[in-house]
Amino acid sequence: MADKDTATIQAGFENARDFAQRYASYLPQGGSDRSKAALSPKSLRIDWMKTARGPMLAICDDTHLWMLEFITRKALAWQFEKFYKRHGQPISIGRTQITDQIEKELGAYFSGQLTEFKTPFMVTGTDFQKATWQQLCNIPYGQTRSYAQLAEMVGNPKAVRAVANANAKNGLVIIVPCHRVIGSDGGLGGYAGGVSLKSKLLNIESHKL
């Protein structure tokens, strides 16, 4: 997708129908058709969710969550294109029971009532990225680690820049909690969804809703 498409994707929409119309042009094989027969368990569905912190999208199959992002994420068009190229599977507009599960859990999370997600998810990336994301998942709810500490957790203290890059490529926002990584000086550092959103997520986890 061209960079100019990012603004089109991120433009506001109010309901699932608007979302389907917006994304249909980006999906192969007529992805906006919700009337097709049930797909195979490995078929991927993308749908829109309205949350307390803004609209999000989720890509799921019948058993796992594959991608979760805020619509406001930087370079969302690039992220979406990379996802499709990596998996090479049709992505249809629609949802599965996993979509419903993560939407319900996100509602509880944003209201401060959920500290651990149970929705099963899949990660795909390099070995280093997977190692970094695993360590992110080991950061407890309500706590933070610095990029330097995360590099040590991965087993390579000199890889501060590399773990920061891996954070940015995490496609499962909140579930793989890259928002819990901050600068060594206590500053928030960067965040693909914006520093303001990162601050709000950390406030939720410190019960400062």
Side-chain angles (χ1 to χ4, degrees), residues 51 53-56 69-73 76 110 173-174 197:
T51 78
R53 295 301 176 187
M56 301 181 71
E69 289 287 3
F70 286 97
I71 299 299
T72 54
R73 186 200 194 284
L76 179 60
F110 287 128
V173 66
I174 301 176
L197 177 57

Side-chain angles (χ1 to χ4, degrees), residues 35-149:
S35 65
K36 292 181 179 179
L39 301 177
S40 68
K42 291 186 178 180
S43 294
L44 300 174
R45 297 289 187 103
I46 183 172
D47 210 352
W48 166 82
M49 299 179 293
K50 187 175 182 179
T51 78
R53 295 301 176 187
M56 301 181 71
L57 65 83
I59 297 178
C60 307
D61 62 16
D62 288 342
T63 58
H64 290 84
L65 172 69
W66 289 75
M67 183 176 176
L68 181 69
E69 289 287 3
F70 286 97
I71 299 299
T72 54
R73 186 200 194 284
K74 294 180 181 178
L76 179 60
W78 176 87
Q79 183 90 346
F80 186 74
E81 182 178 18
K82 293 291 288 186
F83 180 91
Y84 177 69
K85 288 182 177 178
R86 179 183 299 124
H87 297 288
Q89 297 183 46
I91 305 174
S92 298
I93 294 290
R95 59 173 50 211
T96 71
Q97 60 183 0
I98 299 298
T99 317
D100 294 334
Q101 180 176 345
I102 190 58
E103 185 173 32
K104 182 178 180 180
E105 288 193 333
L106 284 169
Y109 171 83
F110 287 128
S111 64
Q113 300 175 0
L114 182 144
T115 62
E116 182 180 357
F117 288 88
K118 300 297 185 181
T119 301
F121 62 88
M122 296 289 292
V123 296
T124 56
T126 67
D127 289 343
F128 181 82
Q129 288 171 337
K130 289 179 181 179
T132 301
W133 299 335
Q134 178 59 59
Q135 293 304 323
L136 287 174
C137 291
N138 291 337
I139 302 175
Y141 179 95
Q143 298 186 26
T144 59
R145 300 289 186 270
S146 70
Y147 292 98
Q149 288 174 318

